[in-house]
Amino acid sequence: MIAAPLDFYARRADFPALSHHAAHSGDRRPLIYLDHAATSQKPQVVLDRLMSAYIERCANVHRGVYAQSEAATRDFEGVRRQIAALIDAPDSQSVVFTKGTTESMNLLAYSLGQCVVQPGDEVLVTQLEHHSNFLPWQELARSRGAKLVVAQVDEHGRLSPHAIAQKLSTKTKLLACTHASNVTGELIDVRSICQLAKQHGTITIIDGAQATAHLPVSVRELGCDFYCFSAHKMLGPFGVGILWGRAALLRTLPAWQTGGGMVLSVRETESDHQSIPHRFEAGTPAVAEVIALGAAVEYLQGIGLSVIAAQEEILRTETRARLRQVPGLRLIGPEGPGVPVISFVLDGVHPHDVATALAAEGIAVRAGLHCAEPLFAAMGVRGSVRVSLSFVNTIEEIETLCSALVRIGALFR
Amino acid sequence: MIAAPLDFYARRADFPALSHHAAHSGDRRPLIYLDHAATSQKPQVVLDRLMSAYIERCANVHRGVYAQSEAATRDFEGVRRQIAALIDAPDSQSVVFTKGTTESMNLLAYSLGQCVVQPGDEVLVTQLEHHSNFLPWQELARSRGAKLVVAQVDEHGRLSPHAIAQKLSTKTKLLACTHASNVTGELIDVRSICQLAKQHGTITIIDGAQATAHLPVSVRELGCDFYCFSAHKMLGPFGVGILWGRAALLRTLPAWQTGGGMVLSVRETESDHQSIPHRFEAGTPAVAEVIALGAAVEYLQGIGLSVIAAQEEILRTETRARLRQVPGLRLIGPEGPGVPVISFVLDGVHPHDVATALAAEGIAVRAGLHCAEPLFAAMGVRGSVRVSLSFVNTIEEIETLCSALVRIGALFR
Amino acid sequence: MNEALAKLYQEVILTHHRKPHHFGPLPDATQQVRLVNPLCGDEVTIAVRIDQDTIAACHFDGYGCALCRASASLLTLSVRGQSLEAVRALGHTLLTFLQADPASQTPEGIGDLIALCGVREHPSRRRCATLPWEALLTIVDDATE
Amino acid sequence: MNEALAKLYQEVILTHHRKPHHFGPLPDATQQVRLVNPLCGDEVTIAVRIDQDTIAACHFDGYGCALCRASASLLTLSVRGQSLEAVRALGHTLLTFLQADPASQTPEGIGDLIALCGVREHPSRRRCATLPWEALLTIVDDATE
Ligand SMILES: Cc1ncc(COP(=O)(O)O)c(C=O)c1O
Ligand SMILES: Cc1ncc(COP(=O)(O)O)c(C=O)c1O
């Protein structure tokens, strides 16, 4: 058995949910949380920052002149710079705060989409996408009279740059592609894909929702035009998403939502909008939540994203190996580099029955289509059980999972 | 001096920010918070609920089968019912969670606007509106080739049903109007306005952002079609807004944002959307924040919104009377029923200088145009100082404010 | 297996799941309805042959979890030979029961269907058990309109 | 008045606010620029008469707070008769100074403009003081292009 380095065990104490939870009432076992891809648990430092934001600087940002509002504004804008540094962006004015990855994608589909997609153009997505990076483009294509082109995965669900290359042409105005799959964990070679896209003048939009908690990300190295992700999947609070865009391009985009905070002046018939990033941030943002995201970024960087990636790779490999030993269990998805998200089916047992039976033992996993119907259709699979890990998970937890799966298989068959 | 009932003094202890804050470093006086209209302070019960949601039920909603996710879903949907009860809505499926009032209005401008506004139609708003209930309609009119009609206020900024009646015609497809002004506090006779609108078949959208923390609201009695507001202005967390719509109408509206959680099935070329309210809730919502909003609603209802309204009316009247005694101070806005939001100018002193000078004494007020440029243009005023109260404020605080204003006037003139 | 789970996956349920009754197409069906559960993408088709206001035969088909399969299998057994009126009453009684509070009383006349009661403690799985009945009630409501 | 406030609203500032210099239109202006502060809707117009690469006259107009008025008033005094080059240097020095950390050193040659230093501790008010200078630099940059 491969033991995790001791300090990773110690990290568990940073997450109050991991010791607090019981599964069902009366059950005193601690929670085994294997659903980090849905939302990650939050370390105490994030919750502390959230509380102090709500108590010491509970004010609206950008407009107040009193201490709390100035402090909130300073911290809020400080997190913008932290995010820029986290993803190695050249500047922080191109970091836009949204509600989540889903809203980031919708913003782009409307604002960018209306600008660059004309009737007859093509918008390229892939079968690997989460619905949040699929439906906005489907809708854009429909509303603009453009064609939605879908790059195909192979029978294992693998997406190769080659599959993208086949569909790219000068008609391809936009390419939306995930950095890592929320079903199979597959890590996509975004760098090569963006290089290919550039050759056709195609603008690239990358869905980083499953990447930013797991590996160092450099938008400069990836060479993408836009990169979107969610705070709640990277140890941060709910209600905050990020849209990063190349400043030169972002600056050219019109506003999408309008309202307070995004205008320079308002007249009865027309209005002047602010420059980036504020033009895209209409209304009161999730002030305290954005501030608390700063603590999540510090926490991740404190461990180091390369260190996290290395530890999670150990966990992922070991988990896959042990799952394979469960009778009747079949892993779904390709071999190769990935984030610690693993899908499988258990022969003769429906994924939801597996998940419910695991839940009864205090093990939280997800079952179903994981908001990725096109991928399941392409793989010819009706649904999967998904185990998604983080560096706080342990091999002991995986052992408990596997022995539970053995028992569940026997029970239902 | 009119003393507030003792239990309102006691309520101050429920709000950690009110005892915690110092103004500037070194200043030990407690914060005098008079900017509730920008965002309200949060009682400890809301922060406790937020923390317990983040620790005991930190999970994505509507998809997990394990205890935390089921509990989060149950609580999340429970708050939907609480909100329905709070605004006296006939059912809870017509309560949609958004990011804030601004997003609610944008959702309506796109989804409803695209459905019912045709070129040549009219969209009616008023000069009293916050930019968040003005710009989305300006943009809708522009994009649909419709005409934005703006009902006028009188020289005091008063909006009468008569001014609306003058502009209503069968061409008026939509009317967007505030329930209470965020500048003058004026409470609008929404009921009469909605009756007028109904006579012309006009759909009514009411901005309740400044109302829900201050008075009992019944969408049934108001007779409006849509009612929007923000959690953070009613003792709740940031990042949550509400859009309520008449179910029969809401059901007919197409989705706006697309993504995870709002679809029934996804195929490569088309998709089927969920029914209300989920059709309008794409992506991971602010789970813990919505749950914590439930505690804010309980807290408000625990005191009773009529009781709050009565106490705040005492504070409002008394504050206006005392402000009038400050040399060179002129109140802005009409007499009459209102929420406790009061604007004024101080002769010879710019509003921002007033606000900064007050901030130095630990008094938080707002200065400027308050995201309501059309109103200031109509009143011919360049900006105001805004004092916005809540039941936690005291006459002593107002006394401190007024004596500070006397000194500030003398300093600058 | 802990208590809550044992109540959900009672032996009756597991038996019907492993060997469902009347599974597969009904060749001479007079009506059929297919419903999809958006949570998991599962689908169930209920097919019946109605003869003089009576359900002469009933089959189910599709892809679903143990709860859905068992519920559908039990359904086919309990409606066969029953009048539309009786089936409609039974369906509504059962749906109300399954959606009620776990502490609520068991209604009379539901027989073996009581085995489905565990879903009341698992709100995220309730729909699995109710889906076949929703499909059936659609047919019955249409047929008696 | 507490310390931070006394530093922001120094007597120099209040004097210029109460009785600003060169306030009002400049009839024979060769250039003028109007800027608006979106935070408060304030506006300032800086008007100059440039004569042989020198600012022969400078007025300001508009509506602004004490900081903005004092800053503009001080500006008109400190640029009159100066070469465009000198004004440009002064403007950049001042803007850098006002945007810097409150602990940073005072640059040489800014004279009375030091009175504006209090805005460094009030980030939400910084723009009030810098707005007139931004307007002026726009003119100077254009004129020397
Ligand atoms: C009357 C009114 N409408 C709308 C808004 C916008 O609300 P939010 O910023 O929470 O979206 C506000 C507050 O800023 C307001 O006062
Ligand atoms: C790959 C991927 N993209 C997008 C999303 C949507 O993120 P959110 O729900 O936070 O908007 C998710 C998560 O649900 C995801 O896993």
Side-chain angles (χ1 to χ4, degrees):
Chain A
M1 179 190 123
I2 299 174
L6 204 71
D7 55 345
F8 276 102
Y9 275 88
R11 290 291 178 183
R12 292 178 65 83
D14 299 342
F15 292 78
L18 297 182
S19 48
H20 189 282
H21 280 212
H24 282 278
S25 52
D27 195 331
R28 305 267 28 108
R29 283 171 298 188
L31 169 69
I32 298 183
Y33 191 73
L34 303 174
D35 198 16
H36 294 274
T39 198
S40 56
Q41 296 299 331
K42 325 300 173 200
Q44 189 63 46
V45 288
V46 169
L47 302 182
D48 289 346
R49 187 76 58 90
L50 188 63
M51 279 304 97
S52 74
Y54 268 116
I55 294 174
E56 289 160 37
R57 50 208 58 182
C58 183
N60 220 317
V61 286
H62 297 137
R63 296 200 164 252
V65 302
Y66 48 94
Q68 292 73 20
S69 179
E70 288 196 338
T73 306
R74 188 189 60 226
D75 290 0
F76 187 91
E77 292 302 322
V79 175
R80 208 189 290 281
R81 287 189 296 274
Q82 283 184 276
I83 291 291
L86 180 76
I87 59 170
D88 191 27
D91 59 74
S92 68
Q93 55 177 340
S94 49
V95 170
V96 175
F97 288 118
T98 65
K99 182 164 75 170
T101 307
T102 304
E103 193 186 35
S104 299
M105 292 303 177
N106 278 276
L107 192 164
L108 287 175
Y110 278 86
S111 177
L112 172 67
Q114 307 298 315
C115 278
V116 304
V117 177
Q118 304 304 331
D121 285 344
E122 294 182 359
V123 176
L124 179 55
V125 297
T126 89
Q127 288 179 329
L128 200 59
E129 303 312 313
H130 187 279
H131 293 166
S132 290
N133 194 29
F134 192 94
L135 293 170
W137 309 113
Q138 187 182 69
E139 179 56 23
L140 169 67
R142 194 197 56 74
S143 73
R144 301 291 290 176
K147 188 171 168 208
L148 187 78
V149 178
V150 185
Q152 302 198 335
V153 298
D154 70 13
E155 73 273 25
H156 302 292
R158 177 186 283 114
L159 178 72
S160 68
H162 181 66
I164 303 255
Q166 282 189 318
K167 305 281 186 177
L168 274 170
S169 77
T170 50
K171 281 201 209 153
T172 318
K173 289 293 147 52
L174 301 176
L175 162 62
C177 176
T178 195
H179 195 175
S181 162
N182 71 312
V183 176
T184 62
E186 184 186 6
L187 195 62
I188 304 305
D189 181 358
V190 167
R191 193 151 176 256
S192 301
I193 288 174
C194 289
Q195 273 169 0
L196 288 167
K198 206 165 263 167
Q199 289 166 18
H200 296 85
T202 304
I203 294 172
T204 47
I205 297 131
I206 305 302
D207 176 352
Q210 293 298 341
T212 45
H214 299 298
L215 58 142
V217 169
S218 165
V219 292
R220 250 191 276 236
E221 277 178 31
L222 294 176
C224 56
D225 295 307
F226 294 96
Y227 195 87
C228 304
F229 51 107
S230 297
H232 74 96
K233 292 188 199 278
M234 50 184 286
L235 318 190
F238 291 106
V240 180
I242 288 95
L243 159 59
W244 171 82
R246 265 200 309 112
L249 196 51
L250 194 61
R251 243 190 287 274
T252 65
L253 301 187
W256 173 39
Q257 294 191 40
T258 56
M262 54 71 73
V263 273
L264 285 174
S265 74
V266 173
R267 290 171 304 283
E268 290 208 352
T269 47
E270 50 170 7
S271 311
D272 301 324
H273 295 170
Q274 292 244 31
S275 54
I276 63 169
H278 303 294
R279 188 193 308 153
F280 301 108
E281 294 179 355
T284 303
V287 178
E289 285 72 16
V290 167
I291 291 174
L293 170 59
V297 171
E298 283 159 30
Y299 185 88
L300 287 169
Q301 290 177 328
I303 304 177
L305 278 149
S306 317
V307 177
I308 289 173
Q311 169 67 6
E312 290 182 346
E313 183 55 26
I314 295 173
L315 281 172
R316 185 174 82 101
T317 309
E318 188 64 20
T319 304
R320 290 176 71 96
R322 282 167 193 256
L323 282 172
R324 273 203 197 87
Q325 288 161 23
V326 173
L329 188 147
R330 182 163 62 86
L331 293 177
I332 306 267
E335 301 294 322
V339 295
V341 174
I342 304 166
S343 268
F344 62 83
V345 290
L346 191 59
D347 199 28
V349 196
H350 187 281
H352 272 88
D353 292 324
V354 174
T356 295
L358 288 173
E361 313 215 7
I363 304 173
V365 304
R366 179 120 332 182
L369 303 169
H370 314 294
C371 296
E373 283 189 48
L375 176 62
F376 280 92
M379 297 191 298
V381 177
R382 301 286 317 225
S384 76
V385 180
R386 182 184 76 182
V387 165
S388 58
L389 306 162
S390 131
F391 57 86
V392 295
N393 290 119
T394 65
I395 298 294
E396 287 77 4
E397 290 179 324
I398 302 306
E399 281 175 346
T400 307
L401 166 72
C402 291
S403 58
L405 288 171
V406 173
R407 269 181 286 120
I408 291 164
L411 177 67
F412 281 84
R413 279 191 292 259
Chain B
M1 180 191 124
I2 298 173
L6 203 71
D7 55 345
F8 276 102
Y9 276 88
R11 290 290 180 185
R12 291 178 65 83
D14 299 342
F15 292 78
L18 296 183
S19 48
H20 189 283
H21 280 213
H24 282 278
S25 51
D27 195 330
R28 304 264 34 103
R29 282 171 298 186
L31 170 68
I32 297 183
Y33 191 72
L34 304 174
D35 197 17
H36 294 274
T39 198
S40 56
Q41 297 298 331
K42 324 301 175 200
Q44 189 64 44
V45 288
V46 169
L47 302 181
D48 289 346
R49 188 76 58 89
L50 189 63
M51 278 304 97
S52 73
Y54 268 116
I55 295 175
E56 290 161 36
R57 49 207 58 183
C58 183
N60 219 317
V61 285
H62 296 137
R63 297 200 165 255
V65 302
Y66 48 93
Q68 291 73 19
S69 179
E70 288 196 339
T73 305
R74 189 189 58 228
D75 290 359
F76 187 91
E77 293 302 323
V79 176
R80 207 188 292 280
R81 286 190 296 274
Q82 282 183 274
I83 291 290
L86 180 77
I87 59 170
D88 190 29
D91 58 74
S92 68
Q93 55 178 337
S94 49
V95 170
V96 175
F97 288 118
T98 65
K99 183 164 74 168
T101 307
T102 304
E103 193 186 36
S104 298
M105 292 303 176
N106 277 275
L107 192 165
L108 286 175
Y110 278 87
S111 177
L112 172 67
Q114 307 297 316
C115 278
V116 305
V117 177
Q118 304 303 330
D121 285 345
E122 294 181 359
V123 175
L124 179 54
V125 297
T126 89
Q127 287 179 329
L128 200 58
E129 303 311 313
H130 186 280
H131 292 166
S132 290
N133 195 28
F134 191 94
L135 294 170
W137 310 113
Q138 188 181 70
E139 179 57 22
L140 169 67
R142 195 197 55 73
S143 74
R144 300 291 291 176
K147 188 170 168 210
L148 187 77
V149 178
V150 185
Q152 300 196 339
V153 297
D154 70 13
E155 73 274 23
H156 301 293
R158 175 186 286 114
L159 179 72
S160 68
H162 182 66
I164 304 253
Q166 282 190 318
K167 304 282 186 177
L168 274 169
S169 77
T170 50
K171 282 202 208 151
T172 318
K173 289 293 146 51
L174 301 176
L175 162 62
C177 176
T178 195
H179 194 174
S181 162
N182 71 311
V183 176
T184 62
E186 185 187 5
L187 195 61
I188 304 305
D189 181 359
V190 167
R191 192 150 178 259
S192 301
I193 288 173
C194 290
Q195 272 169 0
L196 287 168
K198 206 165 263 166
Q199 290 165 18
H200 296 86
T202 304
I203 293 172
T204 47
I205 298 131
I206 305 301
D207 176 352
Q210 293 299 341
T212 46
H214 300 296
L215 58 141
V217 169
S218 165
V219 292
R220 250 190 278 235
E221 276 178 30
L222 294 176
C224 56
D225 294 307
F226 294 96
Y227 195 87
C228 304
F229 51 107
S230 296
H232 74 96
K233 292 188 200 278
M234 48 184 285
L235 318 189
F238 291 106
V240 179
I242 288 96
L243 159 59
W244 171 82
R246 266 201 307 112
L249 195 52
L250 194 61
R251 244 190 286 274
T252 65
L253 301 187
W256 173 39
Q257 295 191 40
T258 56
M262 54 70 74
V263 273
L264 286 172
S265 74
V266 174
R267 291 171 303 284
E268 289 207 352
T269 47
E270 51 170 7
S271 312
D272 301 324
H273 294 171
Q274 291 244 29
S275 54
I276 62 168
H278 303 294
R279 188 194 307 153
F280 301 107
E281 295 179 354
T284 304
V287 179
E289 285 72 16
V290 168
I291 292 174
L293 170 59
V297 172
E298 284 160 29
Y299 184 89
L300 287 169
Q301 290 178 326
I303 304 178
L305 278 149
S306 317
V307 177
I308 288 173
Q311 169 67 5
E312 290 182 347
E313 182 55 25
I314 295 173
L315 282 172
R316 186 174 82 100
T317 309
E318 188 63 21
T319 304
R320 289 176 70 97
R322 283 168 193 256
L323 283 172
R324 273 203 197 87
Q325 288 161 23
V326 174
L329 189 146
R330 182 163 63 87
L331 293 177
I332 306 265
E335 299 295 322
V339 296
V341 174
I342 303 165
S343 269
F344 63 83
V345 290
L346 191 58
D347 198 30
V349 197
H350 188 281
H352 272 88
D353 292 323
V354 175
T356 295
L358 288 173
E361 313 215 7
I363 304 173
V365 304
R366 179 120 330 184
L369 303 169
H370 315 293
C371 296
E373 283 189 48
L375 176 62
F376 280 92
M379 296 191 299
V381 178
R382 303 284 320 222
S384 76
V385 180
R386 183 184 74 182
V387 166
S388 57
L389 306 162
S390 130
F391 57 85
V392 295
N393 290 119
T394 66
I395 298 293
E396 288 76 5
E397 289 179 324
I398 302 307
E399 281 175 348
T400 307
L401 167 72
C402 291
S403 59
L405 287 172
V406 173
R407 269 181 287 120
I408 291 163
L411 177 67
F412 281 83
R413 280 192 291 260
Chain C
M1 191 157 67
N2 72 16
E3 211 184 306
L5 198 64
K7 189 169 169 196
L8 185 64
Y9 295 116
Q10 301 182 15
E11 202 45 50
V12 181
I13 301 288
L14 291 175
T15 309
H16 278 269
H17 155 64
R18 292 191 200 102
K19 260 180 106 66
H21 296 255
H22 309 107
F23 181 64
L26 178 65
D28 49 359
T30 55
Q31 274 100 336
Q32 67 177 42
V33 160
R34 174 173 172 273
L35 281 188
V36 172
N37 183 347
L39 177 70
C40 47
D42 288 0
E43 50 173 273
V44 65
T45 300
I46 298 288
V48 296
R49 191 172 68 248
I50 298 182
D51 191 3
Q52 294 190 326
D53 286 349
T54 296
I55 300 210
C58 177
H59 273 211
F60 83 100
D61 208 347
Y63 170 81
C65 63
L67 300 170
C68 185
R69 281 160 67 92
S71 175
S73 172
L74 284 162
L75 177 152
T76 63
L77 293 180
S78 49
V79 305
R80 213 178 18 161
Q82 302 289 314
S83 74
L84 292 182
E85 259 331 302
V87 165
R88 189 219 296 270
L90 176 65
H92 284 293
T93 303
L94 184 72
L95 290 188
T96 308
F97 173 59
L98 295 183
Q99 272 141 21
D101 192 273
S104 63
Q105 283 225 314
T106 309
E108 286 183 25
I110 64 169
D112 280 355
L113 297 169
I114 183 72
L116 297 169
C117 69
V119 297
R120 294 179 307 163
E121 270 125 73
H122 293 266
S124 64
R125 303 303 305 282
R126 210 174 270 156
R127 193 90 202 278
C128 306
T130 61
L131 202 64
W133 289 90
E134 290 171 36
L136 178 71
L137 283 175
T138 312
I139 296 175
V140 171
D141 285 344
D142 274 4
T144 54
E145 235 167 27
Chain D
M1 191 157 67
N2 73 17
E3 211 184 307
L5 198 63
K7 189 169 172 197
L8 185 64
Y9 295 115
Q10 301 182 16
E11 202 45 49
V12 181
I13 300 286
L14 290 175
T15 309
H16 278 270
H17 155 62
R18 291 190 201 105
K19 261 180 105 65
H21 296 255
H22 308 106
F23 181 64
L26 178 65
D28 49 356
T30 55
Q31 275 100 336
Q32 66 176 44
V33 160
R34 175 173 171 275
L35 281 188
V36 171
N37 182 347
L39 177 69
C40 48
D42 288 359
E43 49 171 275
V44 65
T45 301
I46 298 289
V48 295
R49 191 172 68 248
I50 298 183
D51 190 4
Q52 294 192 327
D53 286 348
T54 296
I55 301 211
C58 178
H59 273 210
F60 83 100
D61 208 345
Y63 170 80
C65 63
L67 299 169
C68 185
R69 281 160 68 91
S71 175
S73 172
L74 284 161
L75 176 151
T76 63
L77 292 181
S78 48
V79 304
R80 214 180 14 163
Q82 302 288 315
S83 74
L84 293 181
E85 259 330 301
V87 165
R88 189 217 298 271
L90 176 64
H92 284 293
T93 304
L94 184 72
L95 290 188
T96 308
F97 172 59
L98 295 183
Q99 273 142 21
D101 192 273
S104 63
Q105 284 226 314
T106 309
E108 286 182 24
I110 64 168
D112 280 354
L113 297 169
I114 183 72
L116 297 169
C117 69
V119 298
R120 294 178 307 163
E121 270 125 71
H122 292 268
S124 65
R125 302 302 306 280
R126 209 175 270 156
R127 193 89 202 278
C128 307
T130 61
L131 203 65
W133 289 90
E134 291 171 33
L136 179 72
L137 283 174
T138 313
I139 296 176
V140 171
D141 285 345
D142 275 5
T144 54
E145 236 169 23

